[in-house]
Amino acid sequence: WRFSHSINYDRLPHLIAHAIHEQLVSRYHTHRFVEVVRTIVFTSARADTHPKSARMRMFRSMEEANFEVHMHKTMGLQEKCIDISLAVEMMHYAAMPGAYDVAVLLSGDKDFMPAMARIRHAGKRVAVVSMRNCCSQDLVDPTSHVRDFDPIWIEDYIDYLATPNIIEGGSSNTHLALDYIKAFLSEHGG
């Protein structure tokens, strides 16, 4: 798949905005415009990660799509502190008037639940974007009271996010490539 298709990260904010808008209409009967104004990624990579590796190319693609990528370089097996950095950022902006109305967490990690609950207590709404097989059931459980929308399952939109690479003089088997992408994302906690 990595030769026949690419993930179009430009489409992810649009997809999320559309999915949240649809839920606002169906659940709250409001036709409010939803705009993703800032996309922040917190991640890490070992200092010896090759710059042309698939992982580093993915983060460059995100930066090219105007994502703000915070890369923490690690040595060996040290703690990365990525989760706490993201939680602090979400809480910081929740406390700033007008910074955002809806926090969107692209993760399935239940470690974010305390921050999500506090963000909701601050009067903000919270959405979760994840993959079904990588998402903690605690995040999905409506009685946990940490989100305001049904989860947005990324694998439901892989046909929209994955775009075929232009191959001179040949064609690609789109369905086979999409199956490879879904398997890759499942295996790598995407």
Side-chain angles (χ1 to χ4, degrees), residues 173-189:
N173 185 335
T174 301
H175 295 292
L176 180 61
L178 292 176
D179 288 342
Y180 284 128
I181 292 168
K182 289 177 185 177
F184 175 82
L185 290 172
S186 295
E187 290 172 7
H188 293 85

Side-chain angles (χ1 to χ4, degrees), residues 34-90:
V34 177
E35 179 183 22
V36 175
V37 294
R38 192 164 185 206
T39 311
I40 306 171
V41 176
F42 288 88
T43 190
S44 66
R46 290 177 43 112
D48 61 350
T49 302
H50 194 282
K52 292 187 178 181
S53 69
R55 181 174 179 79
M56 299 307 283
R57 285 193 322 265
M58 175 182 70
F59 293 119
R60 276 193 304 282
S61 294
M62 289 177 175
E63 286 176 330
E64 290 168 6
N66 205 29
F67 288 33
E68 184 180 318
V69 177
H70 296 264
M71 175 71 69
H72 181 77
K73 298 284 183 176
T74 63
M75 301 293 287
L77 300 174
Q78 76 185 61
E79 181 64 34
K80 301 173 289 223
C81 300
I82 299 304
D83 291 357
I84 193 71
S85 297
L86 175 56
V88 166
E89 194 83 356
M90 289 171 66

Side-chain angles (χ1 to χ4, degrees), residues 150-162:
D150 293 332
I152 300 167
W153 301 118
I154 203 79
E155 65 267 27
D156 292 346
Y157 300 96
I158 200 71
D159 292 340
Y160 174 71
L161 293 171

